[in-house]
Amino acid sequence: MLLEGRDITKAHGTGEGRVEVLRGVDLAMRPGESVALTGESGSGKSTLLHILAALEPADSGHVSLGGQDLGKLDDRGRAALRRRDIGLVFQQFNLIPSLSVADNLAFQARLAGRHEPHRIAALAERLGLTSTLSRYPEQLSGGQQQRVAIGRAIAARPRLLLADEPTGNLDEASADGVLELMRELVAETGAGFLMVTHSERLARRLDRRLRLHAGRLA
Amino acid sequence: MSGAGQSPPAPPSPTDALFRPVMAALLSYWLRQPLQLLTLVLGLALATALWSGVQAINAEARASYARAAAVLGQDQRDSLVPTVTGGGVDLTDFVRLRRAGWRVAPVIEGELPPDIGRLSVLGVDYLSLPPPDATAGEAQGVIPGEEAAPTYERAFAAPETLATLAPTARAALPPLAPSDMLPPGLLLTDISVAQRLLGRPGAIDRLIVLEPPAVWAPPLETLAPGLRRVAAGSALDGAQTGGVGRLADSFHLNLTAFGLLAFAVGLFIVHGAIGLAMEQRRGVFRTLRALGVPLATLIAALLVELLALALVAGLLGVAMGYGVAATLLPDVSATLEGLYGARIAGGLSFRPVWWLGGLAVALLGTLIAAAGALAQVVRLPVLAPARPRAWAMASRGGHRVQALAGLGLLAGAAATARWGAGVLAPLAGDQPGRLLAGFSLLAMLLLGAALLLPTLLGAGLSLGHRLTRWLAPGPLREWFWADTRQQLPGLSLALMALLLALAANIGVGTMVSSFRQTFTAYLDQRLAAELYVTARSDAEARAIAGWLAGRADAVLPLWRAEGRVATPAGPRAATIYGITDHATYRRNWPVLTALPDAWDRVADGTGAMVNEQLWRQDGIGPGDALNIGGAPLAVVGVYSDFGNLEGQVLISPPPLRARYPGAEGRRLVVRAPADAVAGLTARLRQRFALPPAALIDQAALKARSLRIFEQTFTVTAALNALTLSVAAFAIFTSLLTLSQMRLPQLAPVWAMGLTRRKLAMLELGRSVLLAVATFLLALPLGLLLAWVLLAVVNVAAFGWRLPMQLFPADWAILLALAVVAALLAAAIPVRRLARTPPTTFLQVFAHER
């Protein structure tokens, strides 16, 4: 099993302001599998994604990636896991504005010690970014920026690609293109792919769909 | 492409493989923001420049003092000096000591007549105390061989001194030779040559003890009761040396305080620039952390980045500091020489002590300025909002904490003013303790007021907003006030810098102007006589007085003795003057406080006047009995005595001569019609062959005193101007960076029908408004600063207090300067705003989709 989560709980706030976001979530993913995580706003989708990405810890429960228990990792260990095994794609792209497209594409691969220039060049061509490599993020359209973010995540050869509303800022046609690209790339690398989305239409195009409702998987 | 299952396990990333891309990502920011980089580097460089410039001056001066103290090893040898000042060492005493086994060398000191050059002359016996080049490689005191014989005909001086000598001066002097071991302004020559140059044949001022006397040698008291032994290190000028050293130290302390203030103002710029850079990169930090960069790596990379920038800026600042020091050093040199008789070299050396210090301060300052921002990064959760919160839009709570800290510091300042000296004096010593209390008070006042500034300005702007709504409501006017208030957090650091610079200008300006006015009045009072004559001996003084009797309105002999007076803290060295009763003193003397019949009691020999140093530092005042020369005399008054550090007492000549039989009476105070002074001077010079320095007319002395005074404060004025420039630069950089973030706030107003030109003019008005408001707050702070300088620091350092006077015309000029600085600082950002293309405004809305 690539990813396994058991009885994950998470709450935000304290006292009367305490909100239980996740109330015992169980999930599992195999390598190469693509999964859509849907649910209404506030259902806990992003929180679950952050916990699976080792960005924040669960209050209780167990999460493991490739057999590694995330709960036993300290900050440095979690950082190393994100660097080497996880690719993240955000709704807001989160590119580094002062780096060129080429540098952004290569960035996580360099962090992970897996920088392969020819692979970056191939990815850029695949993503349709060859002509924009020397530009800066602010000079690109939203769709182009998201493709750079995907390329950055894939270039590091992650075992798991996590995407939080990656098409939320894109029109329908661009969104379809971006999703198709992600599917193809993860299929080529054999990575698992979990995508948080509001769109039922996009969710249907992945292998499996999980629906989060009131902090539990429905 | 291989799947995750087939890919080989990833080797752990070496640290540098992780560090390098992170560093590249951080540094790439500066390449995209060159203006911000320039701001940061220039801000730090300016701050370092002022600091290291002042330190360079101080280091140069201290090196000169050390050279002066070390001339012929005097800093390591005791001296024998006359117990009575002006008496000189009797030749028979010298011979008797040598015969009795005391290895002593005679010395004469003095100033050359001005027509030869402004040089001190030190005459030594070359046989027993060889000059610098003759002693190279030899033990001191060894008589050189024949080959060194020509040396004895030469005089030695520092190369820079020789370079400034006029040909006419060279003609009047013996053959000259350079010596790097001598301080500037000093001519070292054989004693016989020095006696001739100084016009004092056969005179000896003191004896240097070359070796401890033989055990069988009779004690000094038996051999030469008219001499006393002075410990090594205080030999150059007897009792005066300590005073000069302390005065000069105070001067350097003031310079250092100014340098520190300028550095603090510069740090506000650095703090602002670093804060902005951190804030704008919050999103990048979050992304880096999300992509797997450990917090420790991120912090280490940020530290490396900051220290690299600080190093570059520090080097630039040290180079600029060298320029500042080289420019100011001639003025400082003139000031120290004129005021304290301490000569320093006019040239500047690149001494490690200040340039390494400058670099260290730049690095340390950067870390201090960045500490808050780095702490924020440490606390930054991985999932912190990626959108940068508006720069420096500190929370309401943060402002409250800052204001409370400001209030706390002001309360601390009040407590220090009340009890500081009492607490610190027992710990650090009396004078250092009081000085420390004074400077602590200054620091707390300035920092406390700076921290309170945003809150006070915010309250003022709120009031303005309310008044506008009440008196002249209008959407644009109301928006202007509200928007100005919203800009306050982003500008607060620059405004704090401006507040400090303005307050320092007002404070120091008030002190200098008060000083100038009081000093001028004081000179008029103290220098009431038209002519002052110093004869070569008491007998000559009597002859001159006899000759003047029918030619001047009045001739008042002035007697003088160095002695000790008993104070509550113990015996204290003081100069005792015997003055001849005359209206000159009664009408003009600057008396601070006195008994009703004070002058009568001085005249009849039953009373004494003391200077304010004895009054303020030793608590001796009217009504006290003062033990002078072994017998008490009633203190009947206190007079002001600027520029003097020692105690001074005025009594009538008979009690002076009774207590000090060796008192000298070489001086005459001469009253004569002003138009007769020139003729009288010429005839006196001709009749008695008096050197020019022996006759000083009032006008020349006043002019000289005022020239020295003006020189002193040239340096202060220059540092004031530089500090204000740094503050103006701080405003400029803040406005410039803010202008880049202003578009989202201005775009809606523009869209609602305001022209770009109108918006630009409002921005300009905002800068002026904030500068004026800051000035209004700086005014009371500056006056408070002046009061501390005059009533606390000055009294602690020098023992005299100046009455504080107000100079509104100076404030008006400073206000105008502040407004001009604000307008200049706003000019580029405003011009940029006025020329912003409409498409740029539209992008704001596009990005908000």
Side-chain angles (χ1 to χ4, degrees), chain B residues 318-470:
Chain B
V318 165
M320 287 159 70
Y322 186 88
V324 169
T327 311
L328 293 182
L329 196 61
D331 281 324
V332 174
S333 173
T335 298
L336 285 166
E337 185 179 341
L339 267 188
Y340 314 129
R343 283 186 173 143
I344 62 171
L348 188 65
S349 306
F350 211 65
R351 296 175 194 280
V353 66
W354 65 262
W355 68 260
L356 277 177
L359 276 185
V361 159
L363 294 176
L364 197 69
T366 305
L367 287 180
I368 292 170
L374 283 173
Q376 271 192 354
V377 176
V378 171
R379 289 196 301 265
L380 183 79
V382 184
L383 291 171
R387 185 177 60 83
R389 64 191 180 107
W391 170 53
M393 291 286 179
S395 66
R396 199 176 283 266
H399 261 185
R400 204 174 298 133
V401 169
Q402 188 177 310
L404 282 175
L407 280 175
L409 280 169
L410 291 184
T416 306
R418 176 70 185 82
W419 297 292
V423 172
L424 291 170
L427 297 175
D430 187 38
Q431 195 204 28
R434 281 186 290 142
L435 265 180
L436 193 62
F439 280 111
S440 306
L441 174 56
L442 281 181
M444 281 192 271
L445 259 182
L446 288 172
L447 196 59
L451 289 176
L452 264 180
L453 179 74
T455 305
L456 292 176
L457 282 179
L461 291 172
S462 284
L463 183 68
H465 192 177
R466 261 184 239 139
L467 284 176
T468 304
R469 251 200 310 226
W470 182 42

Side-chain angles (χ1 to χ4, degrees), chain B residues 193-448:
Chain B
V193 179
Q195 286 166 340
R196 179 171 52 78
L197 288 172
L198 296 170
R200 294 167 58 196
I204 300 171
D205 287 332
R206 59 192 170 89
L207 301 171
I208 292 179
V209 182
L210 298 173
E211 285 175 17
V215 284
W216 43 265
L220 181 66
E221 297 76 34
T222 316
L223 286 170
L227 298 180
R228 65 187 169 93
R229 192 164 177 161
V230 176
S234 56
L236 259 185
D237 195 17
Q240 282 291 311
T241 310
V244 170
R246 275 157 63 200
L247 276 172
D249 274 353
S250 287
F251 182 79
H252 291 302
L253 187 68
N254 281 324
L255 277 186
T256 304
F258 233 120
L260 205 58
L261 180 67
F263 187 73
V265 170
L267 278 194
F268 278 101
I269 303 176
V270 179
H271 188 280
I274 291 175
L276 176 66
M278 294 288 187
E279 204 54 57
Q280 289 192 333
R281 291 190 292 183
R282 275 169 73 96
V284 173
F285 298 158
R286 176 195 132 139
T287 303
L288 289 175
R289 296 279 287 123
L291 297 182
V293 176
L295 182 61
T297 306
L298 179 59
I299 295 293
L302 281 171
L303 274 173
V304 168
E305 175 200 59
L306 285 173
L307 291 179
L309 287 172
L311 196 65
V312 171
L315 285 171
L316 188 64
V318 165
M320 287 159 70
Y322 186 88
V324 169
T327 311
L328 293 182
L329 196 61
D331 281 324
V332 174
S333 173
T335 298
L336 285 166
E337 185 179 341
L339 267 188
Y340 314 129
R343 283 186 173 143
I344 62 171
L348 188 65
S349 306
F350 211 65
R351 296 175 194 280
V353 66
W354 65 262
W355 68 260
L356 277 177
L359 276 185
V361 159
L363 294 176
L364 197 69
T366 305
L367 287 180
I368 292 170
L374 283 173
Q376 271 192 354
V377 176
V378 171
R379 289 196 301 265
L380 183 79
V382 184
L383 291 171
R387 185 177 60 83
R389 64 191 180 107
W391 170 53
M393 291 286 179
S395 66
R396 199 176 283 266
H399 261 185
R400 204 174 298 133
V401 169
Q402 188 177 310
L404 282 175
L407 280 175
L409 280 169
L410 291 184
T416 306
R418 176 70 185 82
W419 297 292
V423 172
L424 291 170
L427 297 175
D430 187 38
Q431 195 204 28
R434 281 186 290 142
L435 265 180
L436 193 62
F439 280 111
S440 306
L441 174 56
L442 281 181
M444 281 192 271
L445 259 182
L446 288 172
L447 196 59

Side-chain angles (χ1 to χ4, degrees), chain A residues 75 79 82-83 98 114 119 189, chain B residues 1-4 10 28 289 292:
Chain A
D75 180 72
R82 290 199 298 272
R83 205 159 61 230
S98 52
R114 294 180 192 139
R119 180 168 156 74
T189 58
Chain B
M1 299 273 173
S2 57
S28 66
R289 296 279 287 123

Side-chain angles (χ1 to χ4, degrees), chain B residues 20 228 285 592 597 660 686 754 827:
Chain B
R20 244 183 290 167
R228 65 187 169 93
F285 298 158
L592 294 174
D597 56 349
Y660 301 97
Q686 193 181 23
L754 224 61

Side-chain angles (χ1 to χ4, degrees), chain A residues 50 55-56 75-76 79-80 82-84 88 90 94 96-99 107-108 110-114 119 136 138 152 157-159 169 188-191, chain B residues 1-5 10-13 17-18 20-22 24-25 28-29 32 284 286-297 382-383 386 849:
Chain A
H50 293 155
L55 284 169
E56 64 178 322
D75 180 72
R76 190 169 279 273
R82 290 199 298 272
R83 205 159 61 230
R84 295 178 200 146
L88 276 166
F90 299 99
N94 286 4
I96 296 175
S98 52
L99 293 182
F107 193 74
Q108 190 169 3
R110 292 181 68 197
L111 287 180
R114 294 180 192 139
R119 180 168 156 74
Y136 287 87
E138 67 190 32
R152 179 179 70 184
R157 295 184 185 278
R159 301 168 84 179
N169 275 337
E188 287 168 14
T189 58
Chain B
M1 299 273 173
S2 57
S13 305
L18 188 61
R20 244 183 290 167
V22 173
S28 66
Y29 172 81
R32 301 278 293 160
V284 173
R286 176 195 132 139
T287 303
L288 289 175
R289 296 279 287 123
L291 297 182
V293 176
L295 182 61
T297 306
V382 184
L383 291 171
R849 67 178 181 222

Side-chain angles (χ1 to χ4, degrees), chain B residues 20-45:
Chain B
R20 244 183 290 167
V22 173
M23 209 62 235
L26 292 178
L27 291 178
S28 66
Y29 172 81
W30 297 109
L31 294 177
R32 301 278 293 160
Q33 303 287 345
L35 192 66
Q36 212 175 321
L37 178 65
L38 189 74
T39 305
L40 176 64
V41 171
L42 260 185
L44 189 55

Side-chain angles (χ1 to χ4, degrees), chain B residues 181-196:
Chain B
M181 294 170 70
L182 293 174
L186 180 75
L187 190 74
L188 175 74
T189 181
D190 187 64
I191 190 162
S192 57
V193 179
Q195 286 166 340
R196 179 171 52 78

Side-chain angles (χ1 to χ4, degrees), chain B residues 104-118:
Chain B
V104 288
V107 171
I108 185 173
E109 289 163 307
E111 298 286 322
L112 280 183
D115 51 337
I116 296 182
R118 290 167 60 243

